[in-house]
Amino acid sequence: MQPRVTAVLVARNGAKYLPRTLAAIAAQSRRPDSVIVVDAESSDESLALMADSAPAQIADAHAHKTFGGAIGAALYTAAPQATENEWLWLLAHDSAPDPNALRALLGAVEIAPSVAVAGPKLVRWDDPSVISNFGETLTPLGRSVGLVNDELDQAQHDVQTDAMGVAGAGMLVRRQVWTALGGFDPKLTSVDAALDFCIRARLAGHRVVAVADARVASSGGPELFGKRSISAAAHNRVQRFAQLHRRLVYAPALAVPLHWLTLLPLAILRSLGHLVAKRPTAIGGEFAAAFAAIFDGGVVAARRNLRRNKQVGFAAVDPLRMSWAELREVRAHERQGAAPDAAFEVERPKFFGNGGAWVVLLAGILGMVSFSRFVDAVALTGGGLLPLSTTVSELWAHVGYGWNDLAQEVVAADPFAAVLALLGSLTFWNPSFSIVMLYLLALPLAALAAWLCAAAISERTWAPTLAAVAWTVAPSFLIALGEGQLGAVLAHILLPWLILTALRAAHNWAMAALAALLFAVITASAPSLIPALLIGLVAWIVLRPKSTHRLIWIVIPAAALFAPLVIQQWGRGALLAIFADPGLPVAREASSGWQLAIGSVVPGTNGWSELLSTLGLNDRYGPLLVALLLAPFAALALMSLFVPGTRRAVPSLALALLGFATAVAATHLTVSASGESEVTVWAGAGLSLYWLGLSGAVIVAIDSLGRHAALPAVVALIGILGIAAAPLWSLASGAVPVTTSNGRLLPAFVAAESTQRDGLGTLQITVTSDSTIAVDLHRGRGSGLDEQSTLAATSTELSDAELINATLAGNIASRSGYAIADELNDLQIAFIVLTPATDSDTAETRQRIIEALDGNSILNPIGDTAQGYLWHYPELREAEIPVGASNTETNWGQIVLTGQVVVFGLTLLLAIPTTRRRRLKAAKAESAVTVIEANQ
């Protein structure tokens, strides 16, 4: 008996494809006996086009938007099966069969009565020479995978017949089997619907074959049914839900509860895997699929249907499952096919072959000469520097939200405290030594960062060399080292790395995560850079809108660090205070606009006037000399606007403008205080950004000069080194505030007593003028750099605790007859320190304080120490130390720490490189394409 074939054509907004599909059906050498057209709620001309083809039946499936649902609705109202040998040919609006497709399918099923399902070879709609799908199977863990995907058709798979499953588009299925199995599972709306049906057909005792001679052009099939496209994240979500649904349906009854209980834990573990594999966009879909499977109401009906038709066990299906070895081969093939063309790779300067190593080596020698006196130091102090806490546990105790001795209350820690905790942990045996190491390595680290950043965007060997030298001896950087502005020093070293990673972050999740970590460290070290960096990031997002999801991640870790501080400062009505420099506040005179333009962060001409005076020359020529030395470098930066590569020059100069505006604004922003003196924000961080933008513009100019770049590069190089001579001389001669320290914050006697009883108080008095003193209360060994608080430094009102301390210090420092014993006992203060003089004008006031303290009968004078004059209160009664809860002892402290750990943990997982060695070349090619686009 000749088989009867009923073609079921389902369309949903397929007017674009239907003319070709309808023509292909009509052109079949073995035409179907009947054609049923189904409209699945189309809003275009699909229904009219199908009606014009004069089908045997027109079905309305407005309640069913899926391919399988529309077929089921159409067959429900169709004429009953006329013969046992009736077949259904399932076609979508974008399924155009070759003329011999149906004949080939029927030929395959006629010679094998056990075959109930036959599938064609799907080829691309726009390129029939490429196979888009030819057979489907399962991985060992039950995920669906195509046997052949996006391969050039060279008949290499034509010997393939038996398959676990075939695609739904073009499928030929025995109608009796379709009816018995209930068609496609209604819960599998697109992905895996056909594969699940084929598996159930095999479990019912039937065969499924793939027919190579039957070719059907497809533009997406049921998965994209009625959709223009589907994102990778949405595809992963649907595919994961299909896998979980099938797992619950196929599993033995006793294993179903176990599978159900593991759905959410597995989602968490797989999400971590997505982060490591740089697929964070798949995390939302992972949890969505897990929750959808947890509340999946279709499992019971599907299991009942499977049990009703099942004739054989899964052992009959397992031989067709893909093995681990085969899966690895498929994944390797996919990676190879996805790799960009390495022909786009641009030759870049080599670190060891084109001067990079020499620049870093010379910078290291220069650094050792400049800081040779620090070689045997254990800690540094002076300017904005203080030693760190003595143990790593103390460093991390000052992170997050907890008690602060200087603020005398529970407050949000500065984000910089986390940076210092990480830095100090590197030399865990002596945290303060990490700052010494940073000073010794600061110049070569800056040179390395600048050279690699410049080499990544330049093709000339002179450009990275000039950029590295300019960045290493930038006046703002050298002055920040001398003044102890550790935050500005870290920001300067890391800024080139941020630019380099941010440029690559548009295409790479690992680079985006690394840029996020760098952004967090830089903004925590130099909060004044936040507005400029955010503006730059927004501009990059505008230029790369398709990479917004990656680029927006860059600010998330920094937001997690700053959130507690921002909330608390906002509550105090001092939101601008978040821009205060972290660390010890030091009052300095601000530079003028023209001084900032030549890179001088302190008043003067980068130290040249002082150097000329030392050499016995007229210091009035200092500004002129600096201007002449800077002229070649500035001329190259301006020339970049008039040479090829303007698309790179404009962003560089815009970055320089943002940096200069930041520096100027910093000199007019006063949010903290040191004693009675107002402290303006340090402008050096803004100048570093300014210098970075100028260096980028110079790279463009040097690139454009080609083989003529040597002379202007050497002239500019000499000028830059000339400008740096004065600040380098100051660093080498020790004519700067930063000096070595024994690491103690308080006198040795205090440290010794504190080891016997932790938390003893020390009242530190500092004479700031002939009529003013400043007071700080320290606990234990003292408040190091990591415990400094901008909340305390920017507070405009005294807290109750600070008022008590001020009253006590004022009465101690004078012959008032005030009974201080009760106050000392209540506050558990055992020592009083009068810090060394920093100004000869305060000598008389200090002497009066010394006499007052010496004359107090309850205090024992210990004498003069390196940290100042010391007095001891020996009659201190032991009582509870009046301090608040630490960062792990309050609910808010635990919430803050947990949130920050989660955010940074996820970012670290993203930042871990997982790229295989053989794929590095492809990644470089991808970056090269980005650079080529930027050069145009």
Side-chain angles (χ1 to χ4, degrees), residues 506-848:
H507 303 286
N508 190 303
W509 269 110
M511 287 294 105
L514 188 55
L517 295 174
L518 292 168
F519 186 90
V521 174
I522 290 171
T523 52
S525 303
S528 60
L529 290 177
I530 293 176
L533 294 181
L534 285 179
I535 292 173
L537 181 60
V538 170
W540 187 225
I541 291 174
V542 171
L543 292 174
R544 290 289 186 273
K546 293 183 179 179
S547 301
T548 300
H549 58 294
R550 291 190 187 94
L551 298 177
I552 202 68
W553 186 273
I554 294 176
V555 302
I556 292 178
L561 273 185
F562 274 90
L565 181 64
V566 169
I567 293 172
Q568 200 158 6
Q569 291 286 26
W570 194 343
R572 294 184 175 189
L575 191 57
L576 285 178
I578 64 172
F579 299 118
D581 294 309
L584 185 67
V586 179
R588 297 184 181 90
E589 185 180 351
S591 297
S592 63
W594 74 267
Q595 290 168 339
L596 293 174
I598 62 173
S600 182
V601 71
V602 295
T605 53
N606 295 315
W608 263 104
S609 296
E610 293 79 0
L611 182 58
L612 290 175
S613 298
T614 303
L615 298 175
L617 302 175
N618 194 331
D619 59 0
R620 291 183 301 173
Y621 297 110
L624 178 60
L625 179 60
V626 171
L628 290 175
L629 291 173
L630 186 61
F633 189 75
L636 283 174
L638 291 175
M639 190 182 79
S640 66
L641 290 173
F642 307 99
V643 297
T646 306
R647 290 185 60 182
R648 287 186 297 158
V650 170
S652 297
L653 292 176
L655 195 66
L657 182 60
L658 282 173
F660 185 72
T662 299
V664 172
T667 61
H668 293 85
L669 183 60
T670 303
V671 291
S672 58
S674 176
E676 63 178 349
S677 302
E678 294 182 337
V679 178
T680 57
V681 174
W682 178 257
L687 288 184
S688 290
L689 192 61
Y690 164 66
W691 204 256
L692 182 65
L694 291 180
S695 299
V698 168
I699 291 173
V700 176
I702 292 296
D703 269 359
S704 68
L705 291 174
R707 56 192 178 90
H708 303 293
L711 180 60
V714 169
V715 173
L717 196 61
I718 293 173
I720 291 298
L721 290 174
I723 292 175
L728 285 172
W729 173 261
S730 298
L731 291 175
S733 63
V736 291
V738 175
T739 185
T740 58
S741 168
N742 56 18
R744 286 196 294 267
L745 298 161
L746 296 172
F749 186 77
V750 177
E753 289 293 319
S754 296
T755 58
Q756 302 298 320
R757 187 182 175 204
D758 192 26
L760 285 178
T762 300
L763 197 69
Q764 184 181 63
I765 300 174
T766 304
V767 180
T768 57
S769 70
D770 59 355
S771 60
T772 309
I773 63 172
V775 58
D776 292 302
L777 178 57
H778 301 281
R779 296 288 173 187
R781 298 178 180 85
S783 303
L785 186 64
D786 51 293
E787 201 174 357
Q788 301 301 307
S789 170
T790 55
L791 274 167
T794 59
S795 178
T796 57
E797 297 180 359
L798 291 177
S799 65
D800 293 340
E802 290 173 328
L803 186 59
I804 292 173
N805 295 341
T807 302
L808 176 60
N811 284 284
I812 287 178
S814 61
R815 297 178 180 273
S816 62
Y818 180 75
I820 64 172
D822 292 340
E823 295 288 350
L824 295 176
N825 287 319
D826 291 342
L827 296 174
Q828 288 294 286
I829 295 175
F831 303 98
I832 299 168
V833 174
L834 179 64
T835 58
T838 57
D839 190 345
S840 58
D841 295 339
T842 62
E844 184 177 347
T845 303
R846 293 185 77 257
Q847 186 59 37
R848 288 200 305 268

Side-chain angles (χ1 to χ4, degrees), residues 101-345:
L102 181 56
R103 182 180 295 277
L105 290 171
L106 287 173
V109 301
E110 286 176 347
I111 63 174
S114 61
V115 175
V117 179
K121 178 189 292 183
L122 295 185
V123 296
R124 286 186 182 175
W125 182 270
D126 55 349
D127 187 0
S129 65
V130 178
I131 306 171
S132 61
N133 183 286
F134 189 44
E136 298 176 351
T137 186
L138 297 177
T139 67
L141 294 180
R143 188 178 182 90
S144 61
V145 60
L147 291 173
V148 183
N149 294 301
D150 297 326
E151 287 189 27
L152 187 65
D153 189 2
Q154 297 175 319
Q156 70 271 37
H157 300 290
D158 286 3
V159 295
Q160 177 178 317
T161 55
D162 272 303
M164 181 180 288
V166 294
M171 174 191 289
L172 185 69
V173 55
R174 195 184 298 272
R175 183 168 182 175
Q176 186 177 5
V177 174
W178 174 273
T179 304
L181 296 179
F184 291 165
D185 189 329
K187 279 295 181 178
L188 300 177
T189 56
S190 56
V191 174
D192 289 5
L195 175 62
D196 169 74
F197 177 82
C198 292
I199 291 174
R200 288 187 285 120
R202 281 192 166 274
L203 294 176
H206 307 290
R207 286 178 58 201
V208 178
V209 295
V211 183
D213 292 335
R215 295 166 55 89
V216 174
S218 174
S219 181
E223 185 177 345
L224 290 178
F225 190 64
K227 303 175 184 177
R228 293 185 177 180
S229 63
I230 182 171
S231 67
H235 173 77
N236 289 334
R237 172 181 56 80
V238 176
Q239 190 174 39
R240 178 58 177 167
F241 169 74
Q243 179 184 2
L244 296 177
H245 175 80
R246 288 186 292 97
R247 181 176 297 172
L248 294 173
V249 173
Y250 299 163
L254 294 178
V256 172
L258 179 61
H259 283 308
W260 189 85
L261 290 173
T262 59
L263 289 175
L264 193 56
L266 279 176
I268 296 174
L269 292 176
R270 285 174 57 87
S271 295
L272 295 177
H274 288 311
L275 282 175
V276 174
K278 311 300 175 290
R279 296 189 299 266
T281 52
I283 293 175
E286 189 70 43
F287 281 99
F291 281 109
I294 289 173
F295 300 103
D296 186 357
V299 171
V300 175
R303 287 182 62 84
R304 187 181 298 118
N305 184 24
L306 177 65
R307 185 171 61 251
R308 183 174 57 249
N309 295 285
K310 187 176 179 183
Q311 299 296 325
V312 297
F314 276 92
V317 177
D318 286 340
L320 297 171
R321 189 186 295 263
M322 182 174 287
S323 67
W324 286 113
E326 292 171 328
L327 181 61
R328 285 192 295 270
E329 185 177 352
V330 169
R331 295 291 182 250
H333 179 75
E334 289 176 353
R335 287 192 297 268
Q336 185 178 1
D341 191 353
F344 287 103
E345 188 170 359

Side-chain angles (χ1 to χ4, degrees), residues 412-431:
D414 291 340
F416 192 53
V419 178
L420 292 175
L422 183 62
L423 188 64
S425 298
L426 298 177
T427 56
F428 55 89
W429 62 93
N430 177 15

Side-chain angles (χ1 to χ4, degrees), residues 354-375:
N354 297 114
W358 284 108
V359 172
V360 174
L361 177 61
L362 293 174
I365 295 173
L366 185 61
M368 293 301 294
V369 171
S370 301
F371 303 111
S372 58
R373 63 189 185 282
F374 297 160
V375 171

Side-chain angles (χ1 to χ4, degrees), residues 459-485:
E459 301 177 39
R460 308 294 177 185
T461 56
W462 270 109
T465 300
L466 178 56
V469 172
W471 188 248
T472 303
V473 298
S476 60
F477 181 45
L478 300 178
I479 294 172
L481 286 166
E483 296 292 328
Q485 291 295 324

